[in-house]
Amino acid sequence: MTDCAFCAIATGRAPAVIVREWPDAIAIRPRSGGVHPNHLLVIPRRHIADAGADLDSAAAAQRRASELVAELPAANIITSKGAEATQTVFHAHWHVLPREAFDGLLLPWTPQQTARSAAGPSTSTDNSINLIMAREPIPAGPSVFLAGPTPDKSAPVPSWRPEAVRLLSEQWTGEQPLAVLSPESRNGERADRYETQVNWETDAREAATAILFWIPRDMRVLPGMTTNVEFGLDATSGRAVLGCPPDCPNPERNRYLIHIAHRHAVPVRTTLADTAAAALALVAAAGAPAVR
């Protein structure tokens, strides 16, 4: 169609950032920037109005979207048919949207939701928890820093922090939002300099009402060497709690930290749920009712 914006892109008559090409479809970046830095649109080269207009073309485009999703740990594939279902461009297309735990994105998004996303990264996990990730501004008010080993891309394992955020969210009853400070980067975007990351983590630990150390020690993939140093710096702060699961691969490497914790009256717990509760107890002691 000569008046279709997506047809113009698919035939090279209009510019676009093309990320992937196939004989029957292309994947592009949304011109608006989308609602995630890696948000993609899969567009059939052949003009079809929506996912129900040509089943063979639609199935081919869906397959291409599935190929992209296969490369992601978590994602949505979204397509719409009709204005009532939020379709605004009437050339069928599939949104491929990477997802992260507690990314705050409401689906399907509306113009209001798109405007909210354009204003900045959404950090709200619900009405009472704000997830603040590495190098993002640290807000005032009650907060918990999530200290502990971070998975490395060279040996990928699931992060423990999404579960910690969920547990904190379940137990938090304070009147103010609780900021949960995570040293992991949003969307996996690393700091421009090592010192930038270290300075943010140091500032965030100093600002936190409580510092939750969770150390599921595994010397192969979660050695936690930096965590040892951080715990040594924070053990006497009166704001630290230590969680060391006895069933982790290398519990013997946590014995020294547990000993130091007992010397300085740092609460020691063996489950992540109990460690979260102990952190919120420190927040409560600092003046904010916290635990239910």
Side-chain angles (χ1 to χ4, degrees), residues 93-111:
H93 53 284
W94 282 253
H95 295 265
V96 174
L97 189 59
R99 299 304 301 271
E100 299 164 348
F102 307 109
D103 58 20
L105 181 60
L106 304 177
L107 297 176
W109 55 86
T110 63

Side-chain angles (χ1 to χ4, degrees), residues 35-36 76 97-109 112-114 116-117 120-127 129-131 133 165 186-187:
V35 295
H36 185 283
N76 291 113
L97 189 59
R99 299 304 301 271
E100 299 164 348
F102 307 109
D103 58 20
L105 181 60
L106 304 177
L107 297 176
W109 55 86
Q112 293 81 6
Q113 170 67 13
T114 302
R116 187 182 75 154
S117 298
S122 175
T123 59
S124 177
T125 65
D126 57 25
N127 291 332
I129 297 289
N130 286 331
L131 177 60
M133 302 192 77
V165 175
R186 193 176 296 279
N187 307 324

Side-chain angles (χ1 to χ4, degrees), residues 59 112 118 138 164 205 221 230:
Q112 293 81 6
I138 302 168
R205 294 194 344 269
V221 293
E230 292 175 340

Side-chain angles (χ1 to χ4, degrees), residues 17-37:
V17 178
I18 298 176
V19 176
R20 195 78 58 91
E21 293 189 74
W22 303 274
D24 46 19
I26 60 174
I28 67 170
R29 302 273 186 209
R31 288 180 178 176
S32 66
V35 295
H36 185 283

